[in-house]
Amino acid sequence: MKRLEGRTALVTGAGRGVGAALARMLAGEGAAVLVNDLDSGPAEETVAAIRAAGGRALAFPGDVASPGFAGGFLQAAIDGLGGADIIVNNAGYIWNAGIASTTDEQWDAMQEVHLKAAFRIARAWAPWLAEQAAKERAAGRGFTRKMVNVSSVSGTHGAWKQIGYSAAKAGLVGLTKSLAREWGPLNVTVNAVAFGLIETRLTQPIAGETTIEVAGRRHRVGLTKELLEGIYAQTPLRRGGRPEDGAGAVLLFCLPESDYITGQVIEADGGANM
């Protein structure tokens, strides 16, 4: 029997990169997966890959920063897949600047997508968790549910000219530890993974104007060749992480083997910050 057989997992930002790799891994372990992405096309592509491999998945495109997102996201999993046992808050993007040039709009956008979205999802999940815990205690059975929040070494160590992003990712660590204390009696673990350099479209080598579009605005992404080479040189493994490396670190906290681990943050950074 697969280790997550009968469980339902919800993953935000799962149309590309780490999120897509994680959704496939969770499905490979037997979980039914609700795949979110800002764009419907990538979400459907991840769902198609899971189904082609014999798994169960549904797409739920939408903006995690939207006030009404969390409730719909949870309800779609419960109605369409039968539950909400694992939640991974992975969606996000970067909008960098130093303190003097960071606008209120820029600051708010980083807090909304990285921190407030996770807060809203947790708040929407809480009543259902309490109901399930009461039923399972009465029946004398149950299992451990999981939330995993994707933070960053920018949140655990700070980062040059990433004021809003770093603050939001640091806040996510605080949210993780507080929820771990609150939800422990409900048999729910809450942990975080802080990524170092993971090779996705956000960290791709800069080639001209390398941008992504979020809510109608173009955001420049990518790193210079010199910066990438410097990071590789300072990393004991001498490379950046692949999407599967990041996804594998998150998967550790989703499996039954981690049922007695909660409130923790692990850094998946190739040893760069050890």
Side-chain angles (χ1 to χ4, degrees), residues 52-64:
R56 291 179 62 213
L58 292 175
F60 189 84
D63 183 357
V64 297

Side-chain angles (χ1 to χ4, degrees), residues 151-158 166 169-170 173 194-195 265-267 273:
S151 183
S152 168
V153 295
S154 295
T156 54
H157 297 279
S166 295
K169 289 302 193 182
V173 171
F195 289 157
V265 183
I266 60 170
E267 294 183 348
N273 291 286

Side-chain angles (χ1 to χ4, degrees), residues 31-53:
V33 185
L34 186 65
V35 175
N36 159 259
D37 198 88
L38 182 62
D39 304 314
S40 60
E44 293 289 358
E45 288 175 9
T46 300
V47 167
I50 290 172
R51 290 176 176 172

